[in-house]
Amino acid sequence: DQGAPLIVFDIPLLAESGRWARRLDAVVVVDCPGETQVERVMRRSGLTEEVVRSIMASQAPRNVRRAVADVVIANGADCTLDQLRVLTRQTAALFGL
């Protein structure tokens, strides 16, 4: 959209695609440790740990996802909602928002 200060694309498999990262001005990755990811997906989707780990094994590893990022927002189990808001505001400020 011409004139928009920012357009956000939510691309879950960005690191795997190979083409998206090259087409974007910047990439922000929201990251958490694998164990936290497993717990959250199980709670959100009702999947078993085995299924979640199988899905994760088919995706790019955490270090690869982080490597494509210009900015990484750490959203681990110990991150509070208030801390996440601060990190989000700091990231927005990097983009002049």
Side-chain angles (χ1 to χ4, degrees):
D1 185 281
Q2 194 169 20
L6 179 72
I7 297 175
V8 175
F9 293 93
D10 182 359
I11 307 171
L13 300 176
L14 180 132
E16 291 85 350
S17 77
R19 72 181 182 112
W20 272 107
R22 293 188 312 266
R23 300 180 73 194
L24 303 171
D25 293 327
V27 173
V28 177
V29 169
V30 179
D31 180 59
C32 68
E35 290 306 313
T36 302
Q37 184 178 358
V38 169
E39 291 171 17
R40 288 177 177 170
V41 173
M42 287 173 55
R43 190 171 49 239
R44 179 192 70 225
S45 301
L47 300 173
T48 65
E49 181 177 351
E50 180 181 15
V51 170
V52 174
R53 290 190 185 282
S54 174
I55 292 168
M56 289 172 61
S58 71
Q59 298 173 347
R62 184 177 177 206
N63 64 322
V64 171
R65 292 191 310 268
R66 291 174 64 96
V68 299
D70 298 292
V71 177
V72 176
I73 297 176
N75 184 18
D78 59 342
C79 185
T80 68
L81 188 54
D82 286 337
Q83 290 169 326
L84 192 56
R85 284 185 182 114
V86 169
L87 293 170
T88 303
R89 286 185 193 111
Q90 289 171 345
T91 302
L94 290 173
F95 296 103
L97 302 173

